Amino acid sequence: MSAISASEKVDGFTRKSMRKAQKQRKSQGSSQYRTQSAPVELSPLPQLKDAPSTEQQELFTKKLQQCCMLFDFLDSVMDLKSKEIKRATLNELVDYVSTNRGVLVESTYPEITNMICTNIFRTLPPSDNPDFDPEEDEPTLEASWPHVQLVYEFLLRFLENPDFQPSIAKRHIDQKFVLQLLELFDSEDPRERDFLKTILHRIYGKFLGLRAFIRKQINNIFLRFIYETEHFNGVAELLEILGSIINGFALPLKAEHKQFLMKVLIPLHTAKGLALFHAQLAYCVVQFLEKDPTLTEPVIRGLLKFWPKTCSQKEVMFLGEIEEILDVIEPTQFKKIQEPLFKQISKCVANPHFQVAERALYFWNNEYILSLIEENIDKVLPIMFGSLYRISKEHWNPTIVALVYNVLKTLMEMNCTLFDELTSSYKADRQQEKKKEQERDELWKKLDELRLSNTNLFQNNSRGLPCVQNNNNNNNNNNNSNNDNQDKSAEAAAVATDNKDPEVKDPDVSVAASESTPCAK
Amino acid sequence: VAEEGGPCSLSKMAGADGDDSLYPIAVLIDELRNEDVQLRLNSIKKLSTIALALGVERTRTELLPFLTDTIYDEDEVLLALAEQLGNFTMLVGGPEYVHCLLPPLESLATVEETVVRDKAVESLRKISQEHSPVDLEVHFEPLVKRLASGDWFTSRTSACGLFSVCYPRVSSTVKAEIRQHFRTLCSDDTPMVRRAAASKLGEFAKVLELDYVKSDIISLFTALASDEQDSVRLLAVEACVSIATLLPQEDLETLVMPTLRQAAEDKSWRVRYMVADKFSELQKAVGPEITKNDLVPAFQNLLKDCEAEVRAAAANKVKEFCENLPEDNREQIIMTHILPCVKELVSDTNQHVKSALASVIMGLSTILGKDNTIEHLLPLFLAQLKDECPEVRLNIISNLDCVNEVIGIRQLSQSLLPAIVELAEDAKWRVRLAIIEYMPLLAGQLGVEFFDEKLNTLCMAWLIDHVYAIREAATCNLMKLVEKFGAEWAQNTIVPKVLGMANDPNYLHRMTTLFCINALSEACGQDITTKQMLPVVLKMSNDQVANVRFNVAKSLQKIGPVLDSNALQTEVKPVLEKLATDTDMDVKYFAQEAISVLALA
């Protein structure tokens, strides 16, 4: 958008401030593209309740047709009188379908759906704010809400009317209708999404023939959200509907549903705006696991794969979800997943962000989780010990240190001998790790030299084989000088080890230092 | 690196080194399996090194099968792998073995994560060129077919990007199959796949024989352009450009125009936006006749669209569209059809629209000539110069040069100056910076008298701005002005003011004097530098603030080449020697540096 880039060139901040200024003026949007030529002025029709019953049906139809007239709400003074007439008529229609029996005869269905489609189905306007952040910014509200709200209300009452017959309605409320309805879930207006949620739920309940289609389209919306646009406002609402749908799945679960869990719901966790729908998402996942516990392992592995790397806020959410899952996990499933899971938890416990560490340490307040850990203490403790032991000495946050002491105490009580063994072997294990690290460095150094000698070889290859010898010699020289350097650093490390021996403080520091060498290359 | 050598030297090398036991595959694979993602990622990024260590044969027989079978990893690692494999041809033994790379890339092309998949497709496209025609049919094309009929949408989307690279090099039976597969994917059940197909439609059309473009592509294009999802329809607009370019003029009206007209009137603003955004390309593709009859009214509608996004996109194209109109009645079309819409846009409610217009509107003056510009465009420029939104004003000022060419600056200057003065004092330093950058241009256009009268004070005021970037830009601006107006002008107008700041109580302003001297000495010449500037600089070597003192050293180093050797020896050298014994280490450092650079030691 060159309109924007021009301002960015000038000042990165103007856009936000201008946006804010603009928003104060106008926080409403609407998009009805040339649906009709200038609105005709409406004239009020007689009240339905005053009409003789023989004429009521005809008047009902007329009123439905009258409500197909659309108005421009961005211009708040235009067509005031007609707008008011339409509003009153819609109110009356809502009232009419919710209080009367026998008004939904077959011939009215097309008129009713036509009125609804004309009013609510529209291309949503471009967002006022090109990088709308649902967590930060105020949503743009639908300008024509005074009418649209009543139409939604009417649709809901229509669907809930005891005389409503899906067999007749399905000719009108079909796949296309549902597709357009689903697209509206992207509306920025939360009031609209709320109506849509209830309505879609009713449609899902009443139209058995549309169920598979609805699930598939939601699937597509989510996949597009995850892999293409990262933008869709109605994810939370759709997940809420799905939560209750999953609840009703028959056992054993169909392959389609399992695929939905693994290929859609789990990847949804990668979304940037996870905070907006995490509660609903976690609910759906747990619903699945309560239905079919054998899914626990793939689900947890999936979450571990997508574990947040840089966003602490999301990491806290993941930990919350893991706890929800552990709350319902079967002990046999726990055994299958405990190793990778606790490796991750041990990293979280050692996280420098105290909220992440704290959230992970809270697991030890959960009675059920504690019982699972106790049962498998010989597996869990060795994984957790290193991190806990280290941060008990090193974490900057005193609350975390206190929590860690409690956790260490609990673990020690679970298996005292193992705890003692791990304590005494801690130092040796660190040394071992360090040694392994050095071996890796060596290996890569050799490989890099090989690559180096190749480069030389290719550069000189016109001179043929003898130069290989030369290069080898050069390599040897390089080797020697490298070795010299290493000897020095090894000496330095040795000195450091001597110094620090009494207090276990900087083995990790020196490990970190040696880690940085391969990267620097 | 490895590719440079070519296959024969590579194998020679493997033989020469020979010592396979040194790098057992197990160790290398261990590295690729390391628990730490970062380490795995590093290893994958050095995959070519590993392959080199193994030699071509073991890379083919051991490394690639391992990569194909066992790698289930984080997307970041997979992305690196997909990229690496695109450059692996030499490492597996050259083009005759390149098909060995297909299995791992095939599975990467089915991964969920878009970036991984796209990278795998990119690598596949790359190595497809290294296949012999036979290998392409035996190995590559079956892969494309497998992907195109995959269960999950990811493999089918990937397939869409591969048809066009193998189509030109296969036999006609295989070509027919490929066309069939593409057709199927264009009507796929999943919108993601239809989008992928729509986005590759133009590219695929380009490699097809013209008859098939007419028979196959047009029907696919029409279908995609009326897809139920606007995200698919808008991609068809992009394809429209390529397709229209391929077809002979006489077919355009029947084959392309109905769809294009429909797109320009689409009920979704995203599709209309796309039409507006691609308008110049479309205009070139359909040629002058259709432009006159169809595109002009369509463009008018887009300029009046109810969505600001669409109007802004169209406004951006105003100049290009007018430029590309057929010359015989260009002026008439602009005056009667386009200009009325443009006039309305000047007072649009949306600032992005106005600012898009402001960035191109000045370009119309060269197309319409002096008289039309003065009569019709000038009022619009002036209106935009007074716009409440600074971005609009800035866009106008940025393009002043083209109006100047047509009507001369005097006419504009009166309305222009208030706007410039206002922007010059804008609260946002980046706005001020943008204005400073236009000063030399304005100075050149206004002439020295006018400049002295109206703008000189402004330029001097920037020297004491509280933002360093502005002071720095102001310094540079002075240099450019001196280059324009000459040393004499400098001596009379700016040098006294600059030197006066040397006594300012604020050390930052005193330093500005030094920075100005650095910038101006060369343009002012030896005489002014030696007689007026040098004494001030030397005097400042006694400043209390160390920052000023070491900047004196730096300045002396900078202006040294402009001075004569006498001044250097008698005046500069003693001062630098004194500074070299300063108590502050930075002052010492820069003094010593100056001494050595000026060769005064």
Side-chain angles (χ1 to χ4, degrees):
Chain A
M1 289 211 134
S2 53
I4 290 163
S5 67
S7 77
E8 274 175 346
K9 203 171 56 194
V10 177
D11 188 336
F13 301 106
T14 44
R15 233 167 92 215
K16 190 136 201 177
S17 58
M18 283 182 201
R19 232 165 48 207
K20 288 270 149 66
Q22 187 194 9
K23 205 167 285 155
Q24 280 157 7
R25 256 179 283 141
K26 190 196 89 172
S27 63
Q28 294 195 317
S30 190
S31 183
Q32 294 283 5
Y33 179 69
R34 284 178 222 152
T35 32
Q36 56 198 12
S37 41
V40 184
E41 198 167 309
L42 297 185
S43 47
L45 294 165
Q47 292 272 310
L48 276 163
K49 63 175 189 293
D50 301 335
S53 57
T54 47
E55 288 165 29
Q56 263 188 359
Q57 209 52 56
E58 200 193 329
L59 186 60
F60 181 51
T61 312
K62 270 192 186 160
K63 291 201 173 222
L64 284 169
Q65 286 163 353
Q66 196 175 43
C67 287
C68 289
M69 186 66 72
L70 300 176
F71 296 95
D72 181 1
F73 274 83
L74 287 179
D75 186 341
S76 54
V77 289
M78 200 200 259
D79 305 313
L80 272 182
K81 197 170 142 237
S82 298
K83 279 180 188 164
E84 175 52 29
I85 291 171
K86 179 170 170 181
R87 199 192 58 79
T89 311
L90 281 169
N91 259 326
E92 197 191 350
L93 290 175
V94 170
D95 204 40
Y96 187 67
V97 289
S98 36
T99 51
N100 294 314
R101 296 293 307 263
V103 296
L104 295 183
V105 297
E106 192 168 344
S107 63
T108 57
Y109 278 69
E111 297 291 346
I112 289 175
T113 39
N114 181 43
M115 191 278 280
I116 291 165
C117 294
T118 318
N119 276 283
I120 63 172
F121 292 152
R122 62 205 193 281
T123 307
L124 293 167
S127 177
D128 239 7
N129 171 350
D131 28 39
F132 174 66
D133 176 357
E135 286 176 82
E136 289 267 321
D137 301 322
E138 285 292 307
T140 309
L141 298 178
E142 173 57 46
S144 56
W145 190 243
H147 286 172
V148 173
Q149 178 187 17
L150 292 169
V151 177
Y152 277 124
E153 185 81 50
F154 177 78
L155 171 55
L156 198 55
R157 297 298 167 85
F158 170 60
L159 292 169
E160 288 172 348
N161 188 299
D163 297 332
F164 177 78
Q165 289 191 40
S167 55
I168 302 172
K170 75 176 181 201
R171 261 171 275 152
H172 309 286
I173 298 184
D174 52 4
Q175 296 195 346
K176 190 161 180 255
F177 186 96
V178 168
L179 203 59
Q180 287 174 289
L181 203 67
L182 281 168
E183 274 173 23
L184 291 173
F185 274 83
D186 193 22
S187 170
E188 261 183 47
D189 193 329
R191 304 168 300 182
E192 179 162 21
R193 294 201 306 270
D194 204 51
F195 260 115
L196 287 164
K197 184 177 71 189
T198 323
I199 288 165
L200 186 67
H201 204 179
R202 294 284 175 282
I203 293 178
Y204 191 88
K206 287 186 193 283
F207 296 84
L208 303 184
L210 286 174
R211 286 185 177 181
F213 180 79
I214 291 176
R215 288 197 307 267
K216 201 168 100 192
Q217 294 309 320
I218 293 181
N219 234 311
N220 286 342
I221 289 177
F222 284 168
L223 288 171
R224 182 168 185 225
F225 171 74
I226 302 166
Y227 296 118
E228 291 184 6
T229 57
E230 289 199 344
H231 178 93
F232 192 84
N233 291 311
V235 177
E237 283 81 3
L238 290 176
L239 283 170
E240 213 176 312
I241 299 171
L242 283 167
S244 67
I245 293 178
I246 295 164
N247 217 336
F249 281 163
L251 285 172
L253 289 176
K254 285 194 226 161
E256 173 214 329
H257 301 322
K258 290 186 188 170
Q259 188 183 51
F260 173 69
L261 171 68
M262 293 314 299
K263 296 222 169 185
V264 182
L265 289 186
I266 298 298
L268 258 184
H269 287 83
T270 59
K272 200 171 67 181
L274 179 66
L276 290 165
F277 54 82
H278 182 251
Q280 292 84 346
L281 180 57
Y283 179 80
C284 286
V285 170
V286 174
Q287 287 291 307
F288 261 114
L289 299 187
E290 287 199 283
K291 284 262 165 197
D292 183 354
T294 61
L295 292 168
T296 314
E297 186 184 347
V299 162
I300 292 186
R301 283 193 189 276
L303 289 175
L304 292 175
K305 181 180 174 200
F306 293 130
W307 202 272
K309 301 249 174 350
T310 53
C311 180
S312 307
Q313 193 204 359
K314 266 173 84 170
E315 218 171 338
V316 173
M317 286 185 253
F318 269 59
L319 285 166
E321 186 167 345
I322 291 287
E323 184 165 3
E324 278 182 59
I325 293 173
L326 289 178
D327 270 330
V328 300
I329 201 169
E330 287 182 359
T332 48
Q333 297 297 324
F334 182 83
K335 281 195 190 354
K336 287 186 192 166
I337 199 67
Q338 56 188 0
E339 276 186 48
L341 179 62
F342 277 88
K343 274 180 189 161
Q344 182 58 56
I345 294 176
S346 116
K347 279 185 209 158
C348 293
V349 162
N351 196 303
H353 194 304
F354 80 97
Q355 284 175 337
V356 175
E358 189 180 52
R359 187 66 193 81
L361 289 166
Y362 279 164
F363 282 15
W364 274 263
N365 294 346
N366 183 315
E367 288 297 321
Y368 183 60
I369 297 180
L370 271 187
S371 73
L372 290 168
I373 294 178
E374 183 153 24
E375 230 170 88
N376 302 284
I377 188 70
D378 53 326
K379 288 275 187 301
V380 175
L381 187 53
I383 300 172
M384 293 300 301
F385 185 80
S387 286
L388 290 172
Y389 190 80
R390 185 164 59 82
I391 55 167
S392 70
K393 314 249 182 232
E394 280 178 13
H395 206 282
W396 62 274
N397 183 302
T399 321
I400 298 298
V401 174
L403 280 171
V404 165
Y405 273 118
N406 283 335
V407 169
L408 279 172
K409 195 162 148 264
T410 320
L411 290 173
M412 191 170 71
E413 281 160 7
M414 284 178 185
N415 187 339
C416 194
T417 17
L418 180 58
F419 193 92
D420 287 345
E421 274 171 33
L422 289 167
T423 318
S424 54
S425 66
Y426 177 79
K427 216 178 289 170
D429 287 350
R430 294 295 86 82
Q431 296 288 351
Q432 188 66 32
E433 276 173 26
K434 212 164 79 181
K435 204 175 148 230
K436 246 177 133 181
E437 193 61 35
Q438 272 172 355
E439 281 171 8
R440 287 196 52 255
D441 282 359
E442 290 293 296
L443 173 71
W444 280 106
K445 251 177 217 150
K446 278 185 193 154
L447 287 177
D448 282 341
E449 275 155 22
L450 177 70
R451 189 215 262 290
L452 206 68
S453 72
N454 270 313
T455 322
N456 292 340
L457 186 72
F458 292 144
Q459 279 162 357
N460 301 334
N461 67 354
S462 58
R463 279 198 278 152
L465 226 113
C467 73
V468 175
Q469 294 290 333
N470 280 340
N471 280 323
N472 281 346
N473 290 339
N474 287 344
N475 281 344
N476 289 339
N477 294 341
N478 286 343
N479 269 343
N480 291 339
S481 58
N482 278 343
N483 286 342
D484 287 345
N485 288 340
Q486 264 154 27
D487 288 347
K488 270 180 216 153
S489 61
E491 272 170 33
V495 173
T497 338
D498 289 340
N499 283 345
K500 56 98 219 267
D501 240 358
E503 323 98 59
V504 194
K505 201 181 156 199
D506 41 29
D508 294 289
V509 178
S510 59
V511 168
S514 65
E515 250 174 12
S516 68
T517 15
C519 299
K521 293 179 121 195
Chain B
V1 174
E3 287 79 352
E4 288 165 19
C8 75
S9 49
L10 197 78
S11 54
K12 215 192 288 167
M13 189 239 88
D17 229 81
D19 197 0
D20 281 357
S21 58
L22 196 59
Y23 312 109
I25 178 111
V27 177
L28 300 173
I29 283 178
D30 257 5
E31 280 300 286
L32 294 170
R33 276 183 178 146
N34 199 302
E35 242 179 60
D36 186 334
V37 191
Q38 195 53 47
L39 293 179
R40 282 204 305 276
L41 189 60
N42 289 344
S43 314
I44 282 285
K45 285 185 175 159
K46 291 180 183 162
L47 199 60
S48 57
T49 311
I50 294 181
L52 210 54
L54 290 172
V56 291
E57 199 178 322
R58 296 184 67 202
T59 300
R60 287 197 302 267
T61 53
E62 296 176 46
L63 183 61
L64 286 177
F66 162 76
L67 293 173
T68 316
D69 296 338
T70 50
I71 283 257
Y72 160 86
D73 209 321
E74 307 230 0
D75 294 328
E76 211 180 341
V77 178
L78 297 184
L79 174 68
L81 178 60
E83 187 171 7
Q84 289 276 316
L85 290 177
N87 302 318
F88 241 56
T89 311
M90 287 310 164
L91 295 165
V92 294
E96 58 180 307
Y97 294 105
V98 65
H99 59 84
C100 299
L101 298 172
L102 296 179
L105 282 171
E106 180 173 354
S107 50
L108 289 170
T110 62
V111 160
E112 261 82 28
E113 178 51 49
T114 325
V115 284
V116 177
R117 234 184 311 137
D118 287 351
K119 191 54 87 179
V121 170
E122 196 185 310
S123 290
L124 279 170
R125 286 169 71 114
K126 203 162 163 187
I127 64 168
S128 74
Q129 303 307 320
E130 284 152 356
H131 281 71
S132 68
V134 176
D135 280 348
L136 204 63
E137 278 195 30
V138 178
H139 299 288
F140 197 88
E141 202 270 342
L143 169 146
V144 179
K145 270 197 248 173
R146 279 195 300 277
L147 288 176
S149 41
D151 282 337
W152 189 240
F153 79 96
T154 50
S155 72
R156 302 202 297 277
T157 30
S158 294
C160 293
L162 297 173
F163 293 122
S164 62
V165 290
C166 50
Y167 189 85
R169 297 174 61 211
V170 292
S171 66
S172 56
T173 33
V174 179
K175 279 184 175 177
E177 284 173 31
I178 292 180
R179 287 195 305 273
Q180 181 52 44
H181 278 293
F182 193 80
R183 262 200 300 276
T184 318
L185 294 185
C186 282
S187 53
D188 198 278
D189 211 24
T190 322
M192 275 79 72
V193 178
R194 293 204 302 278
R195 276 194 287 276
S199 68
K200 300 294 177 193
L201 184 64
E203 178 188 291
F204 189 55
K206 281 185 195 157
V207 299
L208 243 58
E209 298 80 355
L210 184 60
D211 281 346
Y212 291 122
V213 173
K214 286 188 198 173
S215 59
D216 284 31
I217 295 289
I218 294 297
S219 63
L220 297 176
F221 166 62
T222 319
L224 290 169
S226 40
D227 195 275
E228 63 196 4
Q229 304 238 332
D230 58 1
S231 53
V232 178
R233 296 202 298 277
L234 65 87
L235 292 168
V237 175
E238 267 188 301
C240 186
V241 177
S242 324
I243 294 171
T245 324
L246 295 171
L247 291 174
Q249 189 70 32
E250 63 269 21
D251 290 328
L252 286 177
E253 180 53 46
T254 48
L255 297 181
V256 174
M257 284 317 290
T259 312
L260 181 56
R261 276 186 213 114
Q262 178 194 320
E265 293 268 300
D266 197 282
K267 66 181 191 319
S268 164
W269 62 270
R270 289 185 194 87
V271 179
R272 303 197 305 274
Y273 172 87
M274 196 54 133
V275 174
D277 196 50
K278 300 275 164 219
F279 216 83
S280 308
E281 288 95 324
L282 288 167
Q283 183 186 10
K284 280 179 204 147
V286 298
E289 272 313 301
I290 295 181
T291 297
K292 252 188 273 180
N293 301 332
D294 277 277
L295 294 196
V296 171
F299 193 59
Q300 282 176 291
N301 282 337
L302 292 172
L303 288 173
K304 291 189 236 166
D305 198 277
C306 62
E307 288 302 344
E309 257 74 2
V310 180
R311 292 200 302 278
N316 253 322
K317 304 286 166 188
V318 164
K319 182 192 155 207
E320 252 180 287
F321 180 73
C322 294
E323 241 167 19
N324 295 330
L325 285 170
E327 273 190 46
D328 46 347
N329 43 8
R330 181 161 76 181
E331 190 176 323
Q332 180 254 330
I333 293 177
I334 297 176
M335 296 305 292
T336 50
H337 299 290
I338 306 299
L339 205 59
C341 303
V342 169
K343 276 182 186 158
E344 279 178 44
L345 290 183
V346 166
S347 47
D348 200 277
T349 47
N350 184 290
Q351 55 157 339
H352 293 306
V353 177
K354 288 187 291 188
S355 130
L357 182 68
S359 65
V360 299
I361 191 175
M362 313 290 271
L364 289 180
S365 53
T366 35
I367 303 173
L368 288 176
K370 183 169 181 178
D371 293 339
N372 283 327
T373 300
I374 291 178
E375 190 182 340
H376 299 285
L377 293 178
L378 196 57
L380 304 182
F381 299 160
L382 294 182
Q384 291 217 295
L385 259 182
K386 289 176 196 147
D387 198 278
E388 54 174 6
C389 165
E391 196 185 310
V392 175
R393 301 196 298 263
L394 201 64
N395 281 348
I396 290 288
I397 291 173
S398 318
N399 292 299
L400 274 179
D401 41 341
C402 37
V403 192
N404 184 31
E405 281 165 28
V406 184
I407 62 166
I409 200 75
R410 283 283 157 194
Q411 204 129 16
L412 260 181
S413 58
Q414 263 191 321
S415 339
L416 182 69
L417 266 172
I420 289 183
V421 173
E422 193 185 326
L423 289 176
E425 285 157 2
D426 200 285
K428 299 258 157 58
W429 66 268
R430 281 173 202 270
V431 176
R432 301 200 294 277
L433 188 65
I435 286 295
I436 295 177
E437 278 160 11
Y438 287 110
M439 273 299 141
L441 177 78
L442 277 176
Q445 292 170 346
L446 290 166
V448 66
E449 255 173 66
F450 192 85
F451 183 86
D452 278 346
E453 187 185 320
K454 307 278 187 189
L455 296 177
N456 198 10
T457 6
L458 217 50
C459 289
M460 300 313 290
W462 281 320
L463 287 175
I464 50 169
D465 198 281
H466 60 271
V467 175
Y468 175 74
I470 297 297
R471 298 197 298 274
E472 192 190 25
T475 317
C476 180
N477 174 44
L478 286 187
M479 180 182 72
K480 287 182 184 152
L481 291 176
V482 175
E483 279 166 5
K484 272 212 159 69
F485 295 151
E488 198 186 325
W489 174 80
Q491 191 173 9
N492 295 330
T493 37
I494 58 170
V495 171
K497 288 186 194 167
V498 166
L499 296 182
M501 282 165 60
N503 300 319
D504 199 289
N506 186 335
Y507 84 100
L508 291 172
H509 297 170
R510 298 201 294 279
M511 291 209 310
T512 307
T513 300
L514 292 171
F515 298 147
C516 286
I517 288 173
N518 294 347
L520 295 175
S521 62
E522 206 170 319
C524 286
Q526 197 184 61
D527 194 46
I528 298 178
T529 308
T530 316
K531 288 195 181 135
Q532 301 191 4
M533 296 178 176
L534 184 60
V536 177
V537 178
L538 295 175
K539 203 178 137 207
M540 288 169 86
S541 67
N542 298 318
D543 201 287
Q544 286 184 322
V545 180
N547 297 47
V548 178
R549 294 200 302 279
F550 76 65
N551 271 299
V552 166
K554 282 165 124 183
S555 285
L556 288 174
Q557 179 184 335
K558 176 90 190 165
I559 66 173
V562 186
L563 304 169
D564 62 37
S565 58
N566 183 33
L568 274 178
Q569 288 298 334
T570 56
E571 300 185 60
V572 175
K573 191 178 174 187
V575 171
L576 281 177
E577 277 167 351
K578 198 185 84 190
L579 288 175
T581 60
D582 200 282
T583 49
D584 186 279
M585 60 185 262
D586 290 320
V587 179
K588 262 191 229 174
Y589 171 81
F590 286 110
Q592 274 154 6
E593 193 185 62
I595 289 172
S596 79
V597 169
L598 296 173
L600 293 173

